[in-house]
Amino acid sequence: MIAGPGHLLIAGCGYVGTSLARIALEHSWKVTAWTFSSESARGLEAAQIPATICDLSDATSVNAAAADMETPTAVVHCASSGRGGADAYRAVYFNGMRNLIARFPHSHLIFTSSTSVYAQTDGSEVVESSEANPPRETGNWLRQAEDETLDSRGTVVRLAGIYGPGRSVLLKRLISDAATLDGDGSKFVNQIHRDDAARALWHVAAHGLKGEIFNAADSAPMSQLEIYETLCAAMQKPLPPSAPPDLNRKRGWTNKRVSNAKLIQTGWQPGFPRFVDWAQSQLIESGAKAAASRH
């Protein structure tokens, strides 16, 4: 751990960034949060997280937001593309990272990327040194942003699919009977809880782990079928029907098992090692609330 409290700039302080801010504040770090919208800024201020409106894709906006700011110890880029396509990826991730590197050349730059850059489709285990050659232009912009980060001795953290409070596509689809199995359901699903993702970013920043790539995922990649079998048994409902895989997904269709071993070796541990355990706890909690509302 670096000596003494530092200053953390969270560029794109949304779902994961807000959790990261809380962790840093708990460790007595100074936190500065940048966000794209005034609505998000108001929400952060209400949570007592100092916020500034900034468009990361615009160098002028970045320089204005950074005016008179002391040099941060670490800068975490964890902005969202807003569900946009390749143009949004280029603007937010590639241009945004370049702007941060130019403005904060002496800070530890951390880029929040995605395990979608691994294009493997054979169900094999992937580690940080595995080939990362994404099939879509969106993924290529992520890779280029990664390279810019590493060239500046920054750190790349590749997050698996994020779930957590109020957010789980798999669970939402299952509850609403909108879920389907991709073919035979053998495709592996790689996920990470929001707070574990935030703790991974905090761990990298606080320990000054520079110039490397880390996968941030839970410890139990499971097939889609295994997940649905577990949750459907808990919900006492039949398995979802099979459907052809969507091969035209924005970041491409993949099938791999993401290893978190490298990050664990540095001392990080997931608080939620298995998605299904968290999902079952949510089902129990929602069932208890429904029962209470009937009385």
Side-chain angles (χ1 to χ4, degrees):
M1 175 100 42
I2 62 175
H7 177 195
L8 181 66
L9 168 60
I10 305 172
C13 192
Y15 188 64
V16 172
T18 301
S19 179
L20 171 59
R22 293 192 182 105
I23 294 169
L25 289 170
E26 288 170 1
H27 286 83
S28 301
W29 276 45
K30 177 180 178 179
V31 173
T32 301
W34 287 359
T35 186
F36 183 74
S37 73
S38 56
E39 180 182 358
S40 295
R42 286 192 295 271
L44 290 167
E45 293 284 0
Q48 298 185 323
I49 299 171
T52 299
I53 297 172
C54 179
D55 179 356
L56 292 182
S57 68
D58 181 1
T60 301
S61 181
V62 168
N63 289 332
D68 301 322
M69 178 190 294
E70 65 183 49
T71 300
T73 309
V75 178
V76 177
H77 180 312
C78 59
S80 165
S81 66
R83 301 185 182 276
D87 288 345
Y89 273 58
R90 181 185 67 247
V92 174
Y93 299 124
F94 181 71
N95 293 345
M97 201 62 217
R98 273 195 160 183
N99 291 334
L100 290 173
I101 291 168
R103 186 60 183 80
F104 302 108
H106 304 298
S107 299
H108 178 192
L109 277 297
I110 302 168
F111 178 60
T112 305
S113 187
S114 167
T115 58
S116 66
V117 299
Y118 299 114
Q120 288 78 353
T121 60
D122 60 356
S124 59
E125 181 180 69
V126 295
V127 297
E128 289 79 357
S129 60
S130 298
E131 182 180 14
N133 186 23
R136 298 281 190 270
E137 189 177 357
T138 48
N140 287 330
W141 283 119
L142 285 176
R143 286 288 295 111
Q144 290 190 55
E146 289 185 353
D147 289 342
E148 292 285 324
T149 306
L150 295 170
D151 287 346
S152 69
R153 288 212 68 241
T155 308
V156 171
V157 180
R158 292 171 174 165
L159 299 184
I162 300 166
Y163 70 91
R167 179 169 167 176
S168 173
V169 173
L170 280 175
L171 193 55
K172 181 179 179 180
R173 287 177 178 171
L174 193 60
I175 291 172
S176 65
D177 295 323
T180 59
L181 286 166
D182 287 347
D184 62 2
S186 61
K187 169 185 162 64
F188 282 98
V189 178
N190 300 277
Q191 298 192 91
I192 186 168
H193 190 281
R194 176 201 64 185
D195 296 340
D196 282 339
R199 280 190 284 266
L201 294 168
W202 163 252
H203 180 80
V204 167
H207 289 268
L209 303 178
K210 298 181 180 180
E212 297 194 62
I213 300 172
F214 294 99
N215 293 332
D218 69 21
S219 298
M222 297 176 68
S223 74
Q224 194 183 50
L225 178 60
E226 289 174 321
I227 291 173
Y228 281 145
E229 283 179 335
T230 301
L231 298 184
C232 285
M235 299 171 70
Q236 297 183 322
K237 65 188 304 179
L239 281 172
S242 295
D246 179 9
L247 303 180
N248 295 314
R249 296 176 62 185
K250 183 168 65 174
R251 294 185 183 178
W253 189 90
T254 65
N255 180 20
K256 72 268 182 171
R257 292 173 290 117
V258 177
S259 169
N260 63 9
K262 181 179 177 181
L263 189 56
I264 283 179
Q265 287 170 0
T266 70
W268 172 84
Q269 286 286 340
F272 300 87
R274 295 203 327 156
F275 164 73
V276 291
D277 295 334
W278 174 86
Q280 286 179 302
S281 73
Q282 298 303 295
L283 293 173
I284 293 170
E285 182 179 326
S286 62
K289 288 180 179 178
S293 67
R294 292 193 293 267
H295 295 286

